[in-house]
């Protein structure tokens, strides 16, 4: 036991003399990179995350976090390259697909963004793909088609999740249709009574998000009218 203690003390003393010359644990590098990113130091964050990618090139999350920092730093071509790899490593990751779309939008690559959205809708049909198409087409200025796709996503989801309702609320808020905005926020709260985005948006409109404000999503009500069970509705949202 005493020998082990002496060896430990000797090792610590050696480190103190020669300094921290070895590679840092990846957990430390990642923590540093994420802290820098959240502080807005995007270039420094990118350097930290680049080190992780170099040491773990097979990690999709490493490439995602590197790309996120690169987007913040305005290095969009490099971010796009990283997201192509990340979405290849994990094709079904919604967060990665959203950042890929954000990167293309920020780069002004409208044609590539439209092709990306269409390809995802074909490869992975479902409400999430329609939701993404609707949101980004709206940001490209195609408001009517964006709304149509968001309503389609809400119908496919059958009112189970709040995201389609929130996206529609954003559309109606941008067009100053406060009645429609309020209705969709109430439906978002009906889908998820604790949803922080819906609650914050309602408060911003001067509405207290209490139990009486919740409204069953119209898509969920339609499903019940035609005989969908709760289990079937949940299955349809996947």
């Amino acid at each position: 036991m005493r020998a082990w203690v002496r060896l430990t003390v000797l090792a610590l003393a050696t480190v103190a003399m020669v300094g921290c010359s070895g590679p840092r644990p990846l957990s430390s590098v990642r923590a540093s990179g994420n802290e820098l990113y959240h502080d807005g130091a995007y270039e420094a964050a990118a350097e930290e995350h680049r080190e992780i990618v170099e040491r773990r090139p097979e990690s999709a999350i490493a490439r995602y976090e590197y790309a996120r920092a690169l987007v913040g730093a305005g290095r969009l071509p490099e971010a796009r390259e990283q997201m192509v790899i990340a979405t290849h490593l994990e094709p079904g990751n919604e967060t990665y697909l959203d950042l890929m779309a954000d990167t293309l939008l920020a780069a002004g690559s409208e044609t590539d963004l439209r092709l990306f959205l269409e390809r995802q809708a074909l490869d992975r049909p479902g409400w999430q793909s329609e939701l993404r198409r609707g949101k980004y087409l709206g940001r490209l200025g195609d408001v009517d088609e964006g709304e149509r796709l968001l309503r389609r996503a809400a119908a496919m989801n059958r009112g189970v999740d709040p995201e389609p309702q929130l996206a529609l609320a954003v559309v109606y808020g941008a067009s100053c249709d406060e009645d429609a905005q309020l209705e969709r926020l109430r439906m978002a709260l009906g889908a998820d009574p604790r949803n922080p985005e819906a609650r914050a948006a309602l408060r911003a409109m001067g509405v207290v998000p209490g139990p009486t404000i919740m409204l069953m999503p119209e898509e969920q009500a339609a499903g019940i009218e035609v005989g969908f069970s709760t289990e079937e509705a949940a299955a349809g949202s996947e």
Side-chain angles (χ1 to χ4, degrees), residues 15-71:
V15 169
M17 287 188 294
V18 303
C20 302
S21 58
R24 292 174 294 166
L26 287 177
S27 58
S28 298
V29 182
R30 186 185 184 200
S32 172
N34 286 336
E35 183 176 357
L36 288 165
Y37 174 82
H38 290 299
D39 287 345
Y42 301 122
E43 284 287 359
E47 285 306 301
E48 295 287 70
H49 289 298
R50 179 182 60 79
E51 179 180 340
I52 302 175
V53 168
E54 289 177 349
R55 292 168 62 180
R56 292 289 185 274
E58 76 286 354
S59 170
I61 185 72
R63 292 186 179 275
Y64 162 76
E65 290 176 341
Y66 182 30
R68 186 178 62 173
L70 289 169
V71 170

Side-chain angles (χ1 to χ4, degrees), residues 36-168:
L36 288 165
Y37 174 82
H38 290 299
D39 287 345
Y42 301 122
E43 284 287 359
E47 285 306 301
E48 295 287 70
H49 289 298
R50 179 182 60 79
E51 179 180 340
I52 302 175
V53 168
E54 289 177 349
R55 292 168 62 180
R56 292 289 185 274
E58 76 286 354
S59 170
I61 185 72
R63 292 186 179 275
Y64 162 76
E65 290 176 341
Y66 182 30
R68 186 178 62 173
L70 289 169
V71 170
R75 294 160 59 182
L76 300 174
E78 295 169 80
R80 178 175 179 173
E81 179 182 345
Q82 293 301 319
M83 288 315 302
V84 167
I85 299 172
T87 53
H88 176 74
L89 290 169
E90 291 188 21
N93 189 303
E94 296 293 328
T95 301
Y96 298 172
L97 294 173
D98 283 344
L99 183 59
M100 182 66 173
D102 282 336
T103 303
L104 294 171
L105 181 66
S109 304
E110 179 175 343
T111 300
D112 289 344
L113 176 55
R114 287 179 180 272
L115 288 173
F116 170 74
L117 296 171
E118 290 172 8
R119 184 169 64 251
Q120 289 301 317
L122 290 173
D123 293 345
R124 304 180 60 253
W127 70 270
Q128 293 98 331
S129 292
E130 296 303 288
L131 177 66
R132 185 176 299 106
R133 288 178 69 202
K135 287 166 63 175
Y136 285 95
L137 287 181
R139 292 175 191 176
L140 288 173
D142 197 345
V143 179
D144 292 333
E145 180 65 6
E147 182 200 12
R148 186 188 72 80
L149 289 168
L150 291 177
R151 292 183 69 90
R152 175 175 167 79
M156 294 172 71
N157 181 256
R158 297 176 187 163
V160 173
D161 296 285
E163 285 81 7
Q165 311 299 333
L166 289 168
L168 283 164

Side-chain angles (χ1 to χ4, degrees), residues 174-218:
S175 63
C176 299
D177 188 343
E178 290 191 2
D179 290 340
Q181 180 188 13
L182 177 59
E183 182 179 49
R184 288 294 173 173
L185 288 173
R186 293 178 65 195
M187 290 181 188
L189 211 59
D192 178 7
R194 296 182 178 275
N195 186 271
E197 293 178 56
R199 296 175 74 87
L202 285 166
R203 288 195 183 95
M205 295 182 73
V207 178
V208 178
T212 59
I213 291 298
M214 292 188 297
L215 186 65
M216 179 183 290
E218 64 182 41

